[in-house]
Amino acid sequence: MPKQTFFHLPKDKQDTLIEAAKKEFSRVPLHEASVANIIKSAGIPRGSFYQYFEDKEDLFYYLLNQLSIKNHLRFISVLQEKNGDLFETFISIFQFMLEVHRDQEHKNFFRNVYLNMNYKNEKTLAYHVYEENQKTQYFNIIKLIDTTKLNIHNEQELHHVIKIVMGITFQNLVQLFAKDYSDEEALKNYLVQIDLLKRGLQKN
């Protein structure tokens, strides 16, 4: 998390630094990113950078966390629009992400995130969607889901269903970048897998 000195900055200066960071993390993955490039683009001294963040990793995960919060809010909004239909919500979110990735800088940023996916990246992205230790947010989502459309017996199974669909969604986003699929190919593959999940994989 940023130091308090960052939050004391005027909003425009915060935004300038965040945009500079996103530009650099879109250019290269985190491990190749340069603090020198970030401060040059933001127009601040190196010393000021370290008054705001511990290091480039601190800034990267703050940026990823902010995007995760936006994704969480969108997830809830779409879930409400879809009357609690979990699968339709995930499909809509996946389609939205395909649209967003048409912006080249945004696409490059997430390409670097997904193709260098690790536990911390995935946890940060998913944290505001289904992590149980975020009790209030988690239960708010649970209450919105129409469980009558799901073949589950209890809330624990619902939690696992969310994790399974989330895993499929992440994997398809990784494949989108790894194999450079078109939006049409990516959506087709995703819908096939979601349909298989909805129908079930084993015959009675």
Side-chain angles (χ1 to χ4, degrees):
M1 285 294 292
K3 300 176 182 179
Q4 282 303 311
T5 47
F6 173 76
F7 294 113
H8 291 157
L9 285 173
K11 181 69 164 54
D12 62 326
K13 291 189 176 181
Q14 290 184 26
D15 292 343
T16 297
L17 179 52
I18 293 302
E19 283 304 311
K22 187 175 180 182
K23 179 180 178 182
E24 178 65 5
F25 296 133
S26 298
R27 186 183 69 83
V28 291
L30 170 61
H31 65 278
E32 295 179 23
S34 163
V35 171
N37 287 341
I38 295 173
I39 62 176
K40 181 179 179 181
S41 180
I44 62 172
R46 178 175 288 269
S48 295
F49 176 87
Y50 291 105
Q51 288 179 353
Y52 307 141
F53 293 92
E54 289 293 337
D55 47 34
K56 66 180 182 181
E57 285 81 7
D58 192 23
L59 174 52
F60 175 79
Y61 284 108
Y62 172 69
L63 177 56
L64 208 57
N65 186 68
Q66 293 304 106
L67 291 168
S68 176
I69 291 172
K70 290 180 181 179
N71 288 341
H72 166 73
L73 295 175
R74 176 168 293 279
F75 188 88
I76 288 180
S77 176
V78 174
L79 189 58
Q80 290 172 324
E81 291 173 9
K82 300 296 181 181
N83 297 314
D85 189 316
L86 187 64
F87 287 108
E88 287 302 314
T89 298
F90 270 103
I91 290 170
S92 181
I93 290 293
F94 189 79
Q95 290 173 316
F96 171 77
M97 296 184 85
L98 290 178
E99 292 174 10
V100 167
H101 294 335
R102 289 172 189 159
D103 175 84
Q104 195 58 49
E105 184 176 87
H106 203 85
K107 182 175 184 177
N108 290 342
F109 175 79
F110 276 99
R111 181 192 297 276
N112 289 332
V113 170
Y114 287 119
L115 294 188
N116 295 275
M117 185 63 73
N118 56 33
Y119 175 74
K120 189 171 182 180
N121 286 4
E122 184 172 348
K123 184 177 180 182
T124 304
L125 283 169
Y127 194 66
H128 298 278
V129 178
Y130 67 81
E131 277 293 318
E132 281 194 277
N133 58 358
Q134 289 287 321
K135 292 293 186 183
T136 302
Q137 295 178 1
Y138 176 72
F139 286 120
N140 284 342
I141 289 176
I142 291 297
K143 287 186 290 186
L144 291 172
I145 296 173
D146 182 0
T147 55
T148 64
K149 295 183 178 181
L150 300 173
N151 184 23
I152 57 172
H153 298 97
N154 53 49
E155 190 176 297
Q156 187 64 29
E157 289 188 355
L158 175 58
H159 178 68
H160 287 300
V161 168
I162 296 172
K163 291 182 75 172
I164 290 168
V165 183
M166 179 68 74
I168 291 173
T169 304
F170 270 125
Q171 184 58 32
N172 275 269
L173 288 169
V174 171
Q175 291 299 308
L176 168 67
F177 295 116
K179 298 186 176 180
D180 203 25
Y181 285 139
S182 67
D183 289 358
E184 292 74 19
E185 290 174 309
L187 182 59
K188 180 181 177 181
N189 291 337
Y190 184 68
L191 292 177
V192 167
Q193 292 176 32
I194 291 296
D195 187 56
L196 284 169
L197 191 59
K198 289 168 71 175
R199 288 190 283 122
L201 300 176
Q202 181 173 302
K203 290 184 177 180
N204 293 328

